[in-house]
Amino acid sequence: NAGVMQNPRHLVRRRGQEARLRCSPMKGHSHVYWYRQLPEEGLKFMVYLQKENIIDESGMPKERFSAEFPKEGPSILRIQQVVRGDSAAYFCASSPPGDTQYFGPGTRLTVL
Amino acid sequence: AQSVAQPEDQVNVAEGNPLTVKCTYSVSGNPYLFWYVQYPNRGLQFLLKYITGDNLVKGSYGFEAEFNKSQTSFHLKKPSALVSDSALYFCAVSPQGRALTFGSGTRLQVQP
């Protein structure tokens, strides 16, 4: 049973470009969560999704950030017009409803 | 709103000695409490959780944690530390299986 998969593992973007981060949940998991980890800090919740629904986006910045989890395919975290402050590790977790979250290896975004 | 405090940035322990990593929490209602471990440049690995029942929870790799409701604590323990336990440990709380709120992390250093 494959774990949570994220790609790319490393992503370099110049200021103003778009970043797309992908997350494939574990088999049988219908819930996806995105978290951001700044250097030497803990993880901060961004958004919680089920298939085709955003359940909680209270941690998402109001501008430039969006997330989706379509009926088919991976969950996508999209960051438009990236700035240097977006440089961080972005982790995806998946779970069955109301159960333990299992994390992917993360995508390390560097904005030049 | 919930919060988690990990009062120690770093814990140093000699191999073979017992270890404790401290965590206190604040949450309304009954907490779901978790411990995760993060190795360098990796995602988080689930160690153990408390939802209900016995206050002493046993988890992966010989770790255990004790839930203390009166002290709102959930300290991580291991009877005999290994050098390979050296990593970053995160305590987290979740209101009934929703988004996790993480502590700032504690770096465990086990000396040979």
Side-chain angles (χ1 to χ4, degrees), chain B residues 60-78:
Chain B
S60 307
Y61 314 119
F63 284 93
E64 58 189 29
E66 187 167 10
F67 171 66
N68 187 318
K69 189 172 183 178
S70 62
Q71 296 185 5
T72 61
S73 67
F74 189 55
H75 301 331
L76 182 70
K77 300 182 180 187
K78 187 173 182 181

Side-chain angles (χ1 to χ4, degrees), chain B:
Chain B
Q2 59 268 11
S3 64
V4 175
Q6 293 182 243
E8 302 154 317
D9 289 337
Q10 180 154 325
V11 169
N12 297 308
V13 64
E15 188 174 28
N17 283 1
L19 69 88
T20 298
V21 183
K22 295 179 181 177
C23 171
T24 58
Y25 66 90
S26 172
V27 66
S28 54
N30 293 323
Y32 287 24
L33 294 159
F34 301 81
W35 277 100
Y36 287 85
V37 59
Q38 185 178 32
Y39 295 96
N41 298 314
R42 303 278 295 275
L44 275 68
Q45 294 181 30
F46 168 72
L47 280 179
L48 52 78
K49 68 181 177 185
Y50 172 84
I51 295 177
T52 187
D54 200 352
N55 288 349
L56 186 63
V57 179
K58 294 191 183 296
S60 307
Y61 314 119
F63 284 93
E64 58 189 29
E66 187 167 10
F67 171 66
N68 187 318
K69 189 172 183 178
S70 62
Q71 296 185 5
T72 61
S73 67
F74 189 55
H75 301 331
L76 182 70
K77 300 182 180 187
K78 187 173 182 181
S80 178
L82 300 172
V83 172
S84 56
D85 292 331
S86 298
L88 190 54
Y89 289 80
F90 289 100
C91 181
V93 64
S94 166
Q96 299 192 352
R98 308 254 310 197
L100 292 165
T101 297
F102 285 90
S104 55
T106 298
R107 191 165 300 280
L108 174 66
Q109 200 70 37
V110 181
Q111 282 111 14

